[in-house]
Amino acid sequence: VQLQASGGGLVEAGGSLRLSCAASGRTFSGYDVGWFRQAPGKEREFVALITWRGGTTSYVDSVKGRFTISRDNRKITVYLQMSNLKPEDTAVYYCAAKFWTASSYEYWGQGTLVTVSS
């Protein structure tokens, strides 16, 4: 499964961006999809997840109430809507997918850079 993340860019603090993650040549049927980020000099961290079964979502505490993960009805694209962005949200954002029974993420996208200016 090849993943393509897009939608990053430069935005002022308080602004919004929507990231997209598409699977090349297939849908996300059967797959949990997550978003991760890696800020300069820091380790990669989990941001959000949407599960295949039931569409359950979960978020890291620092983005709760500001970010929303969703998927389209055709299961082709997963989105990360980011609002009220803060400078500390600056990072390369990656989407990743794993079959719903897998214990770890198997597929990773190339990353998209989000820069939030103060």
Side-chain angles (χ1 to χ4, degrees):
V1 178
Q2 289 187 320
L3 305 181
Q4 181 75 31
S6 61
L10 174 63
V11 63
E12 292 184 350
S16 299
L17 281 175
R18 188 177 77 163
L19 305 184
S20 300
C21 178
S24 177
R26 60 157 298 141
T27 71
F28 282 117
S29 295
Y31 287 83
D32 298 340
V33 179
W35 284 96
F36 294 76
R37 66 185 180 186
Q38 186 166 21
K42 295 187 177 181
E43 294 187 353
R44 185 171 60 196
E45 68 167 347
F46 165 80
V47 176
L49 163 70
I50 186 164
T51 64
W52 162 244
R53 298 194 74 183
T56 303
T57 60
S58 59
Y59 302 89
V60 66
D61 286 347
S62 60
V63 307
K64 285 181 180 177
R66 301 188 298 121
F67 290 12
T68 303
I69 189 170
S70 63
R71 63 189 178 200
D72 67 356
N73 289 334
R74 296 176 299 170
K75 311 295 189 295
I76 293 175
T77 307
V78 171
Y79 303 100
L80 185 67
Q81 177 68 47
M82 307 185 295
S83 302
N84 191 21
L85 283 161
K86 303 176 180 181
E88 52 264 43
D89 295 318
T90 295
V92 177
Y93 284 70
Y94 300 88
C95 63
K98 66 177 184 72
F99 194 66
W100 69 277
T101 58
S103 59
S104 61
Y105 287 89
E106 303 157 284
Y107 309 102
W108 292 83
Q110 85 288 0
T112 185
L113 176 62
V114 172
T115 303
V116 184
S117 63
S118 57

CSV table of all heavy atoms in Angstrom, one decimal, residues 6-65:
chain,number,residue,atom,x,y,z
A,6,SER,N,-0.7,14.9,1.7
A,6,SER,CA,-0.7,16.3,1.1
A,6,SER,C,-1.4,17.3,2.0
A,6,SER,O,-2.1,16.9,2.9
A,6,SER,CB,-1.3,16.2,-0.3
A,6,SER,OG,-2.6,15.8,-0.3
A,7,GLY,N,-1.3,18.5,1.6
A,7,GLY,CA,-2.0,19.6,2.3
A,7,GLY,C,-1.3,20.4,3.3
A,7,GLY,O,-1.8,21.4,3.8
A,8,GLY,N,0.0,20.1,3.5
A,8,GLY,CA,0.8,20.9,4.4
A,8,GLY,C,1.1,22.3,3.8
A,8,GLY,O,0.8,22.6,2.6
A,9,GLY,N,1.6,23.2,4.6
A,9,GLY,CA,2.0,24.5,4.2
A,9,GLY,C,2.3,25.4,5.3
A,9,GLY,O,2.5,25.0,6.5
A,10,LEU,N,2.4,26.7,5.0
A,10,LEU,CA,2.7,27.7,6.0
A,10,LEU,C,1.4,28.4,6.4
A,10,LEU,O,0.6,28.9,5.6
A,10,LEU,CB,3.7,28.7,5.5
A,10,LEU,CG,4.0,30.0,6.3
A,10,LEU,CD1,4.7,29.5,7.6
A,10,LEU,CD2,4.9,30.9,5.5
A,11,VAL,N,1.2,28.5,7.7
A,11,VAL,CA,-0.1,29.2,8.2
A,11,VAL,C,0.3,30.0,9.5
A,11,VAL,O,1.2,29.6,10.2
A,11,VAL,CB,-1.2,28.1,8.5
A,11,VAL,CG1,-0.8,27.1,9.6
A,11,VAL,CG2,-2.5,28.8,8.8
A,12,GLU,N,-0.5,31.0,9.7
A,12,GLU,CA,-0.3,31.8,10.9
A,12,GLU,C,-0.9,31.1,12.1
A,12,GLU,O,-1.9,30.3,12.0
A,12,GLU,CB,-0.8,33.2,10.8
A,12,GLU,CG,-0.1,34.0,9.8
A,12,GLU,CD,-0.6,35.5,9.7
A,12,GLU,OE1,-1.7,35.7,10.3
A,12,GLU,OE2,0.0,36.3,9.1
A,13,ALA,N,-0.4,31.3,13.3
A,13,ALA,CA,-1.0,30.8,14.5
A,13,ALA,C,-2.5,31.2,14.5
A,13,ALA,O,-2.9,32.3,14.2
A,13,ALA,CB,-0.3,31.3,15.7
A,14,GLY,N,-3.3,30.2,14.9
A,14,GLY,CA,-4.8,30.4,14.9
A,14,GLY,C,-5.5,30.0,13.6
A,14,GLY,O,-6.7,29.9,13.6
A,15,GLY,N,-4.7,29.7,12.6
A,15,GLY,CA,-5.2,29.3,11.3
A,15,GLY,C,-5.5,27.8,11.3
A,15,GLY,O,-5.4,27.1,12.2
A,16,SER,N,-5.9,27.4,10.1
A,16,SER,CA,-6.4,26.0,9.8
A,16,SER,C,-5.7,25.5,8.6
A,16,SER,O,-5.4,26.2,7.6
A,16,SER,CB,-7.9,26.0,9.7
A,16,SER,OG,-8.6,26.4,10.8
A,17,LEU,N,-5.6,24.2,8.6
A,17,LEU,CA,-5.1,23.4,7.4
A,17,LEU,C,-5.9,22.1,7.4
A,17,LEU,O,-6.2,21.6,8.5
A,17,LEU,CB,-3.6,23.2,7.4
A,17,LEU,CG,-2.7,24.3,7.0
A,17,LEU,CD1,-1.2,23.8,7.3
A,17,LEU,CD2,-2.9,24.7,5.6
A,18,ARG,N,-6.0,21.5,6.2
A,18,ARG,CA,-6.5,20.2,6.2
A,18,ARG,C,-5.6,19.3,5.4
A,18,ARG,O,-5.2,19.6,4.3
A,18,ARG,CB,-7.9,20.1,5.5
A,18,ARG,CG,-8.5,18.7,5.5
A,18,ARG,CD,-9.9,18.7,4.9
A,18,ARG,NE,-9.9,18.6,3.5
A,18,ARG,CZ,-10.9,18.2,2.7
A,18,ARG,NH1,-12.0,17.9,3.3
A,18,ARG,NH2,-10.8,18.2,1.4
A,19,LEU,N,-5.1,18.3,6.1
A,19,LEU,CA,-4.2,17.3,5.4
A,19,LEU,C,-5.0,16.1,4.9
A,19,LEU,O,-6.1,15.8,5.4
A,19,LEU,CB,-3.2,16.7,6.5
A,19,LEU,CG,-2.4,17.8,7.2
A,19,LEU,CD1,-1.4,17.1,8.1
A,19,LEU,CD2,-1.7,18.7,6.3
A,20,SER,N,-4.5,15.6,3.8
A,20,SER,CA,-5.2,14.4,3.1
A,20,SER,C,-4.2,13.3,3.0
A,20,SER,O,-3.0,13.5,2.8
A,20,SER,CB,-5.7,14.8,1.8
A,20,SER,OG,-6.6,15.9,1.8
A,21,CYS,N,-4.7,12.1,3.1
A,21,CYS,CA,-3.9,10.9,2.9
A,21,CYS,C,-4.7,9.9,2.0
A,21,CYS,O,-5.8,9.5,2.3
A,21,CYS,CB,-3.6,10.2,4.3
A,21,CYS,SG,-2.7,8.7,4.2
A,22,ALA,N,-4.1,9.6,0.9
A,22,ALA,CA,-4.7,8.7,-0.1
A,22,ALA,C,-3.9,7.5,-0.3
A,22,ALA,O,-2.6,7.6,-0.3
A,22,ALA,CB,-4.9,9.5,-1.4
A,23,ALA,N,-4.5,6.4,-0.5
A,23,ALA,CA,-3.8,5.1,-0.8
A,23,ALA,C,-3.8,4.9,-2.3
A,23,ALA,O,-4.8,5.0,-2.9
A,23,ALA,CB,-4.5,4.0,-0.1
A,24,SER,N,-2.6,4.7,-2.8
A,24,SER,CA,-2.5,4.6,-4.3
A,24,SER,C,-3.1,3.3,-4.8
A,24,SER,O,-2.8,2.2,-4.3
A,24,SER,CB,-1.0,4.7,-4.6
A,24,SER,OG,-0.9,4.5,-6.0
A,25,GLY,N,-4.1,3.5,-5.7
A,25,GLY,CA,-4.7,2.3,-6.3
A,25,GLY,C,-5.6,1.4,-5.5
A,25,GLY,O,-6.0,0.4,-6.0
A,26,ARG,N,-6.0,1.9,-4.3
A,26,ARG,CA,-6.9,1.1,-3.5
A,26,ARG,C,-7.6,2.0,-2.5
A,26,ARG,O,-7.3,3.1,-2.4
A,26,ARG,CB,-6.1,0.0,-2.8
A,26,ARG,CG,-5.0,0.4,-1.9
A,26,ARG,CD,-4.7,-0.6,-0.8
A,26,ARG,NE,-5.9,-0.9,0.0
A,26,ARG,CZ,-6.2,-2.1,0.4
A,26,ARG,NH1,-5.4,-3.2,0.0
A,26,ARG,NH2,-7.2,-2.3,1.2
A,27,THR,N,-8.5,1.3,-1.8
A,27,THR,CA,-9.1,2.0,-0.7
A,27,THR,C,-8.5,1.7,0.6
A,27,THR,O,-7.6,0.8,0.7
A,27,THR,CB,-10.6,1.7,-0.6
A,27,THR,OG1,-10.8,0.4,-0.2
A,27,THR,CG2,-11.3,1.8,-2.0
A,28,PHE,N,-9.0,2.3,1.7
A,28,PHE,CA,-8.5,2.0,3.0
A,28,PHE,C,-9.4,0.9,3.7
A,28,PHE,O,-9.3,0.7,4.9
A,28,PHE,CB,-8.5,3.2,3.9
A,28,PHE,CG,-7.3,4.1,3.6
A,28,PHE,CD1,-7.5,5.4,3.2
A,28,PHE,CD2,-6.1,3.7,3.9
A,28,PHE,CE1,-6.5,6.3,2.9
A,28,PHE,CE2,-5.0,4.5,3.7
A,28,PHE,CZ,-5.2,5.8,3.2
A,29,SER,N,-10.2,0.2,2.9
A,29,SER,CA,-11.0,-0.8,3.5
A,29,SER,C,-10.2,-1.9,4.2
A,29,SER,O,-9.3,-2.4,3.7
A,29,SER,CB,-11.9,-1.5,2.4
A,29,SER,OG,-12.8,-0.6,1.9
A,30,GLY,N,-10.5,-2.1,5.5
A,30,GLY,CA,-9.8,-3.1,6.3
A,30,GLY,C,-8.6,-2.5,7.1
A,30,GLY,O,-8.0,-3.2,7.8
A,31,TYR,N,-8.3,-1.2,6.9
A,31,TYR,CA,-7.1,-0.6,7.5
A,31,TYR,C,-7.5,0.5,8.5
A,31,TYR,O,-8.3,1.3,8.2
A,31,TYR,CB,-6.2,0.0,6.4
A,31,TYR,CG,-5.5,-1.1,5.6
A,31,TYR,CD1,-6.2,-1.7,4.5
A,31,TYR,CD2,-4.2,-1.4,5.9
A,31,TYR,CE1,-5.5,-2.6,3.8
A,31,TYR,CE2,-3.6,-2.4,5.1
A,31,TYR,CZ,-4.2,-3.0,4.1
A,31,TYR,OH,-3.6,-3.9,3.4
A,32,ASP,N,-6.8,0.5,9.6
A,32,ASP,CA,-6.7,1.6,10.5
A,32,ASP,C,-5.7,2.6,9.9
A,32,ASP,O,-4.7,2.2,9.4
A,32,ASP,CB,-6.3,1.2,11.9
A,32,ASP,CG,-7.2,0.2,12.6
A,32,ASP,OD1,-8.3,0.1,12.2
A,32,ASP,OD2,-6.7,-0.5,13.5
A,33,VAL,N,-6.0,3.9,10.0
A,33,VAL,CA,-5.2,4.9,9.5
A,33,VAL,C,-4.8,5.9,10.6
A,33,VAL,O,-5.7,6.4,11.3
A,33,VAL,CB,-5.8,5.6,8.3
A,33,VAL,CG1,-4.9,6.7,7.8
A,33,VAL,CG2,-6.1,4.6,7.2
A,34,GLY,N,-3.6,6.2,10.7
A,34,GLY,CA,-3.2,7.2,11.7
A,34,GLY,C,-2.3,8.3,11.1
A,34,GLY,O,-1.8,8.2,10.0
A,35,TRP,N,-2.3,9.4,11.9
A,35,TRP,CA,-1.4,10.5,11.6
A,35,TRP,C,-0.4,10.7,12.7
A,35,TRP,O,-0.7,10.5,13.9
A,35,TRP,CB,-2.2,11.8,11.5
A,35,TRP,CG,-3.0,12.0,10.2
A,35,TRP,CD1,-4.3,11.7,10.0
A,35,TRP,CD2,-2.5,12.5,8.9
A,35,TRP,NE1,-4.7,12.0,8.7
A,35,TRP,CE2,-3.6,12.4,8.0
A,35,TRP,CE3,-1.3,12.9,8.5
A,35,TRP,CZ2,-3.5,12.8,6.7
A,35,TRP,CZ3,-1.1,13.3,7.1
A,35,TRP,CH2,-2.2,13.3,6.3
A,36,PHE,N,0.8,10.9,12.2
A,36,PHE,CA,1.9,11.1,13.2
A,36,PHE,C,2.6,12.4,12.8
A,36,PHE,O,2.4,12.9,11.7
A,36,PHE,CB,2.9,9.9,13.1
A,36,PHE,CG,2.4,8.6,13.6
A,36,PHE,CD1,1.5,7.9,12.8
A,36,PHE,CD2,2.7,8.1,14.8
A,36,PHE,CE1,1.0,6.7,13.2
A,36,PHE,CE2,2.2,6.9,15.2
A,36,PHE,CZ,1.3,6.2,14.5
A,37,ARG,N,3.5,12.9,13.6
A,37,ARG,CA,4.3,14.1,13.3
A,37,ARG,C,5.6,14.0,13.9
A,37,ARG,O,5.8,13.4,15.0
A,37,ARG,CB,3.5,15.4,13.7
A,37,ARG,CG,3.4,15.6,15.2
A,37,ARG,CD,2.5,16.8,15.5
A,37,ARG,NE,2.3,17.0,16.9
A,37,ARG,CZ,1.5,18.0,17.4
A,37,ARG,NH1,0.8,18.8,16.6
A,37,ARG,NH2,1.4,18.1,18.7
A,38,GLN,N,6.6,14.7,13.3
A,38,GLN,CA,7.9,14.8,13.8
A,38,GLN,C,8.4,16.2,13.7
A,38,GLN,O,8.6,16.7,12.6
A,38,GLN,CB,8.9,13.8,13.1
A,38,GLN,CG,10.2,13.8,13.8
A,38,GLN,CD,11.1,12.6,13.3
A,38,GLN,OE1,10.8,12.0,12.2
A,38,GLN,NE2,12.1,12.2,14.1
A,39,ALA,N,8.6,16.9,14.8
A,39,ALA,CA,9.1,18.2,14.9
A,39,ALA,C,10.6,18.2,14.8
A,39,ALA,O,11.2,17.2,15.2
A,39,ALA,CB,8.6,18.9,16.1
A,40,PRO,N,11.3,19.3,14.4
A,40,PRO,CA,12.7,19.3,14.3
A,40,PRO,C,13.4,19.0,15.7
A,40,PRO,O,13.0,19.5,16.7
A,40,PRO,CB,13.0,20.7,13.9
A,40,PRO,CG,11.8,21.2,13.2
A,40,PRO,CD,10.7,20.5,13.9
A,41,GLY,N,14.3,18.0,15.7
A,41,GLY,CA,15.0,17.6,16.9
A,41,GLY,C,14.2,16.8,17.9
A,41,GLY,O,14.7,16.5,19.0
A,42,LYS,N,13.0,16.4,17.5
A,42,LYS,CA,12.1,15.6,18.4
A,42,LYS,C,11.8,14.2,17.7
A,42,LYS,O,11.9,14.1,16.5
A,42,LYS,CB,10.9,16.3,18.7
A,42,LYS,CG,11.1,17.6,19.5
A,42,LYS,CD,9.8,18.2,19.9
A,42,LYS,CE,10.0,19.5,20.8
A,42,LYS,NZ,8.7,20.0,21.3
A,43,GLU,N,11.3,13.3,18.6
A,43,GLU,CA,10.9,12.0,18.1
A,43,GLU,C,9.6,12.1,17.4
A,43,GLU,O,8.8,13.0,17.8
A,43,GLU,CB,10.9,11.0,19.2
A,43,GLU,CG,12.3,10.7,19.8
A,43,GLU,CD,12.3,9.6,20.8
A,43,GLU,OE1,11.2,9.1,21.1
A,43,GLU,OE2,13.4,9.2,21.2
A,44,ARG,N,9.3,11.2,16.6
A,44,ARG,CA,8.0,11.1,15.9
A,44,ARG,C,6.9,10.8,17.0
A,44,ARG,O,7.2,9.9,17.9
A,44,ARG,CB,8.0,10.1,14.8
A,44,ARG,CG,6.7,10.0,14.0
A,44,ARG,CD,6.9,9.1,12.8
A,44,ARG,NE,7.2,7.8,13.3
A,44,ARG,CZ,7.7,6.8,12.4
A,44,ARG,NH1,7.9,7.1,11.2
A,44,ARG,NH2,8.0,5.6,12.9
A,45,GLU,N,5.8,11.5,16.9
A,45,GLU,CA,4.7,11.2,17.9
A,45,GLU,C,3.4,10.9,17.2
A,45,GLU,O,3.1,11.5,16.1
A,45,GLU,CB,4.6,12.4,18.9
A,45,GLU,CG,4.0,13.6,18.3
A,45,GLU,CD,3.6,14.7,19.3
A,45,GLU,OE1,3.5,14.3,20.5
A,45,GLU,OE2,3.4,15.8,18.9
A,46,PHE,N,2.6,10.2,17.9
A,46,PHE,CA,1.2,9.9,17.4
A,46,PHE,C,0.4,11.1,17.5
A,46,PHE,O,0.5,11.9,18.5
A,46,PHE,CB,0.7,8.7,18.2
A,46,PHE,CG,-0.8,8.6,18.1
A,46,PHE,CD1,-1.4,7.9,17.0
A,46,PHE,CD2,-1.7,9.1,19.1
A,46,PHE,CE1,-2.7,7.8,16.9
A,46,PHE,CE2,-3.1,9.0,19.0
A,46,PHE,CZ,-3.6,8.3,17.9
A,47,VAL,N,-0.5,11.4,16.5
A,47,VAL,CA,-1.4,12.5,16.6
A,47,VAL,C,-2.8,12.1,16.6
A,47,VAL,O,-3.6,12.5,17.5
A,47,VAL,CB,-1.1,13.4,15.3
A,47,VAL,CG1,-2.1,14.6,15.3
A,47,VAL,CG2,0.3,14.0,15.3
A,48,ALA,N,-3.2,11.2,15.7
A,48,ALA,CA,-4.6,10.8,15.6
A,48,ALA,C,-4.8,9.5,14.9
A,48,ALA,O,-3.9,9.1,14.1
A,48,ALA,CB,-5.4,11.9,14.9
A,49,LEU,N,-5.9,8.8,15.2
A,49,LEU,CA,-6.2,7.5,14.6
A,49,LEU,C,-7.7,7.4,14.3
A,49,LEU,O,-8.5,7.9,15.0
A,49,LEU,CB,-5.8,6.4,15.6
A,49,LEU,CG,-6.4,5.0,15.3
A,49,LEU,CD1,-5.7,4.4,14.1
A,49,LEU,CD2,-6.2,4.1,16.5
A,50,ILE,N,-8.0,6.8,13.1
A,50,ILE,CA,-9.3,6.4,12.9
A,50,ILE,C,-9.3,4.9,12.5
A,50,ILE,O,-8.5,4.4,11.7
A,50,ILE,CB,-10.0,7.2,11.7
A,50,ILE,CG1,-11.5,6.9,11.6
A,50,ILE,CG2,-9.2,7.1,10.4
A,50,ILE,CD1,-12.2,7.9,10.8
A,51,THR,N,-10.2,4.1,13.2
A,51,THR,CA,-10.1,2.7,13.0
A,51,THR,C,-11.0,2.2,11.9
A,51,THR,O,-12.0,2.9,11.5
A,51,THR,CB,-10.6,2.0,14.3
A,51,THR,OG1,-11.9,2.3,14.6
A,51,THR,CG2,-9.7,2.4,15.5
A,52,TRP,N,-10.7,1.1,11.3
A,52,TRP,CA,-11.5,0.5,10.3
A,52,TRP,C,-12.9,0.1,10.8
A,52,TRP,O,-13.9,0.4,10.2
A,52,TRP,CB,-10.8,-0.6,9.6
A,52,TRP,CG,-11.7,-1.5,8.8
A,52,TRP,CD1,-12.0,-2.8,9.1
A,52,TRP,CD2,-12.5,-1.2,7.7
A,52,TRP,NE1,-12.9,-3.3,8.2
A,52,TRP,CE2,-13.2,-2.3,7.3
A,52,TRP,CE3,-12.6,0.0,6.9
A,52,TRP,CZ2,-14.1,-2.3,6.2
A,52,TRP,CZ3,-13.4,0.0,5.8
A,52,TRP,CH2,-14.2,-1.1,5.5
A,53,ARG,N,-12.9,-0.6,11.9
A,53,ARG,CA,-14.1,-1.1,12.4
A,53,ARG,C,-14.7,0.0,13.3
A,53,ARG,O,-14.2,0.3,14.4
A,53,ARG,CB,-13.9,-2.4,13.3
A,53,ARG,CG,-13.3,-3.5,12.4
A,53,ARG,CD,-13.4,-4.8,13.2
A,53,ARG,NE,-14.7,-5.3,13.2
A,53,ARG,CZ,-15.1,-6.4,13.8
A,53,ARG,NH1,-14.2,-7.1,14.5
A,53,ARG,NH2,-16.3,-6.8,13.8
A,54,GLY,N,-15.8,0.5,12.9
A,54,GLY,CA,-16.5,1.5,13.7
A,54,GLY,C,-16.1,2.9,13.5
A,54,GLY,O,-16.8,3.8,14.0
A,55,GLY,N,-15.0,3.1,12.9
A,55,GLY,CA,-14.5,4.5,12.7
A,55,GLY,C,-14.2,5.2,14.0
A,55,GLY,O,-14.3,6.5,14.1
A,56,THR,N,-13.8,4.5,15.0
A,56,THR,CA,-13.4,5.1,16.3
A,56,THR,C,-12.2,6.0,16.1
A,56,THR,O,-11.3,5.6,15.4
A,56,THR,CB,-13.1,4.0,17.3
A,56,THR,OG1,-14.2,3.1,17.4
A,56,THR,CG2,-12.8,4.6,18.7
A,57,THR,N,-12.2,7.1,16.7
A,57,THR,CA,-11.1,8.1,16.6
A,57,THR,C,-10.4,8.3,18.0
A,57,THR,O,-11.1,8.1,19.0
A,57,THR,CB,-11.6,9.4,16.1
A,57,THR,OG1,-12.6,10.0,17.0
A,57,THR,CG2,-12.2,9.3,14.7
A,58,SER,N,-9.2,8.6,17.9
A,58,SER,CA,-8.4,8.9,19.2
A,58,SER,C,-7.4,9.9,18.8
A,58,SER,O,-6.9,10.0,17.7
A,58,SER,CB,-7.8,7.7,19.8
A,58,SER,OG,-6.9,7.0,18.9
A,59,TYR,N,-7.0,10.7,19.8
A,59,TYR,CA,-6.0,11.8,19.6
A,59,TYR,C,-5.0,11.9,20.7
A,59,TYR,O,-5.3,11.6,21.9
A,59,TYR,CB,-6.8,13.1,19.5
A,59,TYR,CG,-7.9,13.2,18.5
A,59,TYR,CD1,-9.2,12.8,18.7
A,59,TYR,CD2,-7.6,13.7,17.2
A,59,TYR,CE1,-10.2,12.8,17.7
A,59,TYR,CE2,-8.5,13.7,16.2
A,59,TYR,CZ,-9.8,13.3,16.5
A,59,TYR,OH,-10.8,13.3,15.5
A,60,VAL,N,-3.9,12.5,20.4
A,60,VAL,CA,-3.0,12.9,21.5
A,60,VAL,C,-3.6,14.1,22.2
A,60,VAL,O,-4.3,14.9,21.6
A,60,VAL,CB,-1.6,13.2,20.9
A,60,VAL,CG1,-1.6,14.4,20.0
A,60,VAL,CG2,-0.6,13.3,22.0
A,61,ASP,N,-3.3,14.1,23.5
A,61,ASP,CA,-4.0,15.2,24.3
A,61,ASP,C,-3.8,16.6,23.8
A,61,ASP,O,-4.7,17.5,23.8
A,61,ASP,CB,-3.5,15.1,25.8
A,61,ASP,CG,-4.1,13.9,26.5
A,61,ASP,OD1,-5.1,13.3,26.0
A,61,ASP,OD2,-3.6,13.6,27.6
A,62,SER,N,-2.6,16.8,23.2
A,62,SER,CA,-2.2,18.2,22.8
A,62,SER,C,-3.1,18.7,21.6
A,62,SER,O,-3.1,19.9,21.4
A,62,SER,CB,-0.8,18.3,22.5
A,62,SER,OG,-0.4,17.4,21.4
A,63,VAL,N,-3.8,17.8,20.9
A,63,VAL,CA,-4.5,18.3,19.8
A,63,VAL,C,-6.0,18.1,20.0
A,63,VAL,O,-6.8,18.5,19.1
A,63,VAL,CB,-4.1,17.6,18.5
A,63,VAL,CG1,-2.6,17.8,18.3
A,63,VAL,CG2,-4.5,16.2,18.4
A,64,LYS,N,-6.4,17.5,21.1
A,64,LYS,CA,-7.9,17.3,21.3
A,64,LYS,C,-8.6,18.6,21.3
A,64,LYS,O,-8.2,19.6,21.9
A,64,LYS,CB,-8.1,16.6,22.6
A,64,LYS,CG,-7.7,15.1,22.6
A,64,LYS,CD,-7.9,14.4,23.9
A,64,LYS,CE,-7.5,12.9,23.9
A,64,LYS,NZ,-7.7,12.3,25.2
A,65,GLY,N,-9.7,18.6,20.6
A,65,GLY,CA,-10.5,19.8,20.5
A,65,GLY,C,-10.1,20.7,19.3
A,65,GLY,O,-10.8,21.7,19.0
